[in-house]
């Protein structure tokens, strides 16, 4: 059974709906979840494009071909970048 059973209706223009829908999609959220988070004071973050992660994966491949010391340093940097991009610690 769904916990959320009460709806809130809000009238918007076509342009406003397109903009809010695009913002929700950028955050990887449904329109309802995006609006719920915004209404409750949260500011959902967007996801970086997949190309960013492709570059980080390529850096990991390069790190594997380096010396143990240099490879470990490169891997540590790419791990930190991933954490920053996806909201890790």
């Amino acid at each position: 059974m769904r916990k959320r059973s009460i709806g809130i209706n809000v009238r918007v223009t076509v342009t406003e709906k397109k903009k809010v829908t695009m913002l929700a999609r950028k955050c990887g959220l449904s329109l309802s979840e995006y609006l719920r988070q915004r209404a409750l004071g949260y500011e959902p973050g967007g996801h970086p494009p997949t190309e960013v992660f492709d570059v980080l994966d390529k850096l990991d491949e390069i790190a594997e071909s380096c010396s143990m010391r240099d490879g470990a340093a490169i891997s540590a940097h790419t791990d930190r970048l991933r954490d920053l991009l996806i909201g890790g610690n």
Side-chain angles (χ1 to χ4, degrees):
M1 184 200 256
R2 288 174 45 174
K3 289 183 183 180
R4 298 181 179 107
S5 60
I6 298 173
I8 299 173
N9 296 313
V10 179
R11 300 252 178 230
V12 295
T13 66
V14 171
T15 303
E16 289 170 333
K17 183 175 182 187
K18 285 180 183 179
K19 183 175 182 178
V20 175
T21 301
M22 180 206 51
L23 292 168
R25 193 174 301 132
K26 277 178 120 175
C27 294
L29 300 172
S30 68
L31 180 58
S32 293
E33 183 60 26
Y34 179 81
L35 292 172
R36 186 178 302 108
Q37 287 189 20
R38 294 297 295 157
L40 295 173
Y42 301 111
E43 191 167 331
H47 295 311
T50 55
E51 292 82 7
V52 171
F53 293 101
D54 293 342
V55 169
L56 292 172
D57 289 342
K58 188 66 177 169
L59 287 171
D60 283 336
E61 288 176 24
I62 292 168
E64 289 174 9
S65 67
C66 291
S67 69
M68 178 89 74
R69 185 175 141 219
D70 292 339
I74 292 170
S75 291
H77 288 298
T78 56
D79 288 346
R80 274 185 245 138
L81 287 171
R82 272 191 191 85
D83 288 345
L84 289 170
L85 290 167
I86 59 174
N89 295 327

